[in-house]
Amino acid sequence: MSDRTWDPTAFRSSVQDTLDDFLAEQDARLRPLGDDAARLMTEVRALTSGGKRLRAAFCLWGYAALAGPPSGEDARAVSRAAAALELLHASALVHDDLMDASDTRRGRPATHRGFAAEHGTDGWRGDPEQYGAAAAILAGDLLLTWADELLRRCGFGWDRVGPALEVLDLCRSEVIAGQFLDISVQARGTADVAQAMTVLRYKSAKYSIERPLHVGAALAGADAAALELLSNFGLPLGEAFQLRDDLLGVFGDPAATGKPAGDDLVEGKRTVLVALALDAAPAAEAKRLDAALGTALDASEVAELRDIIERCGARERVETTIAELAGTARAALERGREAGWHPDAVVALDQLATAATSRTS
C-alpha cells in the first residue's frame, strides 16, 4: 500500500468549480424567464455550495481504482461526473427536508421553509406553506434532471457514459423507493430492526457510497467482477455511514450538524437506532419513546429520550455495528489491493472510510 495520503481540498474545489460553471450555463438558459427563475437559481446555488463531497470523492476513486488517478481531459470528465452525483444528493436533500418537515439544512432554512417565508414576507396570495412545498418539489426535480444532464455531458465517450448512466438510473430508483419505504414505515409507526436496515440500505447506503463507486468504475470500463468487488467495499461502508448519521440525528451537536438537537426524534424517524432501543428498553421506557417520536419535543424531553436510548444499550450496539461494518469494508479494500487496484486509490478509499464512519457532522 502506498504511504501517501490524499488531500481532498483541490478535488473539492474542482467539483465546486464544475458545479458553478454548469449552473452558470443553466442560469443563462433560464434568464429569459425573469426574476422568479433568478430566485430559483439563487436557491440552487446555495444548495450546491460547500459540503464534504463524499459521493463525488467515491466516484473519483472508483474510477482511479481501475484506471489510475485521472489527468488532463479525463480529470475534467471525472470531475463533471462526480459533480453530477452532488446534484443528485442536493435533490434528495430538498425532497427529504420537505417530507420530514425539517426547518433547517446546514444551518440555513430548508428550501421549502425559505420559499414559504418569502411568500409571507411579500404578502402574496394563497398558502405560504403550500407555495414553499411546491417550490421545493420543483427545485429538487430540477436538480435531479440536471444530474442526468451533467453526467451525460461529462466528456467521456458513450461507451463509458452509457454504462455510468445505467448505474445512475438504478441509483435513482433505489433511493426514491427507499424514501417511500421510509415514509411508509413512519406512517405505520412501526419498524423492526430488519425493516429499518432495509430502509437504511436503499434510502442512503447505496446511493451514498456503493453507486458513486460504480459510476466512477463504469467510466473506467469496469466489468461485473470489478463492480462486485467495489460493492463488497462500498455497501457495508455505506451502511456504517448511515448508522453514524442515525447517531448524529439523536446525539449530534447542532453546531456541527446544522440541525436541531434530537432532530430525528422530533421527525419521528424509525431508524435502526430507534428500533434497537424499542426492542431493548424496559416496557415503560419503550412505550414513552414510541409515543414521543414525531411530536414537538423541548430540550428536556430530547434529553430524556436520549437517556432511554443510551441506558438500554442501543447506542453502544450501533457503535459496535459501525465498527464491524467498517472492518468488513476494509477487508474488501485489502482484496481490492490484491486484485490490482491503484495504490493511491486504496489509500484514498481507506481515508474516506474513516471520514464516513467517524464524522461529527
Side-chain angles (χ1 to χ4, degrees):
M1 182 183 293
S2 168
D3 60 0
R4 294 188 295 273
T5 59
W6 176 53
D7 181 357
T9 306
F11 176 69
R12 289 174 182 164
S13 178
S14 172
V15 170
Q16 188 63 59
D17 289 345
T18 297
L19 288 169
D20 290 344
D21 290 346
F22 179 76
L23 293 178
E25 291 180 38
Q26 302 302 330
D27 183 60
R29 291 179 179 179
L30 298 180
R31 198 170 300 147
L33 278 69
D35 291 344
D36 285 331
R39 291 168 54 241
L40 183 61
M41 288 302 306
T42 296
E43 178 65 15
V44 166
R45 286 193 178 92
L47 290 165
T48 56
S49 178
K52 295 178 283 293
R53 307 301 190 201
L54 280 176
R55 291 157 189 83
F58 280 112
C59 178
L60 165 66
W61 292 108
Y63 175 93
L66 305 183
S71 60
E73 287 302 309
D74 284 355
R76 181 175 182 273
V78 171
S79 180
R80 285 172 67 83
L85 294 171
E86 294 297 322
L87 293 176
L88 173 65
H89 181 48
S91 168
L93 293 182
V94 172
H95 286 162
D96 193 48
D97 285 344
L98 174 61
M99 286 181 278
D100 290 341
S102 298
D103 292 326
T104 60
R105 168 64 64 179
R106 295 173 179 168
R108 62 185 294 272
T111 297
H112 61 288
R113 298 296 191 211
F115 278 114
E118 285 186 22
H119 181 290
T121 299
D122 293 340
W124 290 355
R125 295 180 179 181
D127 181 2
E129 299 302 320
Q130 179 63 27
Y131 176 80
I137 290 169
L138 294 169
D141 286 352
L142 195 58
L143 287 160
L144 187 61
T145 299
W146 284 345
D148 184 284
E149 180 180 343
L150 186 52
L151 179 55
R152 183 162 32 86
R153 295 170 46 204
C154 70
F156 284 110
W158 187 252
D159 61 321
R160 302 296 177 87
V161 172
L165 282 169
E166 290 181 5
V167 175
L168 183 66
D169 289 342
L170 177 59
C171 177
R172 288 181 295 191
S173 296
E174 288 170 341
V175 72
I176 291 169
Q179 186 71 268
F180 184 71
L181 293 179
D182 188 30
I183 65 170
S184 297
V185 161
Q186 291 186 58
R188 283 192 293 270
T190 59
D192 60 23
V193 175
Q195 289 174 313
M197 278 299 297
T198 299
V199 170
L200 175 150
R201 185 172 298 119
Y202 285 94
K203 180 186 173 184
S204 178
K206 283 179 168 289
Y207 113 94
S208 293
I209 297 179
E210 182 192 24
R211 298 310 183 199
L213 286 167
H214 284 179
V215 169
L219 293 171
D223 60 16
L227 294 176
E228 182 179 2
L229 186 49
L230 284 165
S231 287
N232 292 340
F233 168 72
L235 185 54
L237 185 60
E239 292 173 348
F241 170 83
Q242 184 55 41
L243 287 172
R244 175 62 61 198
D245 200 63
D246 291 351
L247 287 174
L248 292 173
V250 173
F251 296 101
D253 179 358
T257 64
K259 303 280 279 185
D263 198 47
D264 280 5
L265 300 173
V266 175
E267 292 176 1
K269 291 189 176 180
R270 299 278 168 168
T271 63
V272 172
L273 175 67
V274 167
L276 287 169
L278 291 173
D279 279 350
E285 293 188 345
K287 183 177 181 180
R288 166 62 178 143
L289 173 59
D290 187 55
L293 290 172
T295 66
L297 300 170
D298 62 27
S300 64
E301 289 171 317
V302 168
E304 176 194 359
L305 299 185
R306 282 174 166 172
D307 286 345
I308 291 172
I309 294 169
E310 185 97 49
R311 284 197 306 272
C312 74
R315 182 179 186 177
E316 183 180 358
R317 285 186 64 186
V318 170
E319 288 284 7
T320 299
T321 302
I322 290 172
E324 291 171 348
L325 288 166
T328 299
R330 284 199 162 88
L333 184 61
E334 175 60 19
R335 294 196 298 276
R337 184 191 66 79
E338 293 169 354
W341 288 1
H342 193 282
D344 288 352
V346 173
V347 170
L349 290 171
D350 185 63
Q351 286 180 229
L352 287 167
T354 298
T357 56
S358 303
R359 62 201 174 93
T360 59
S361 64

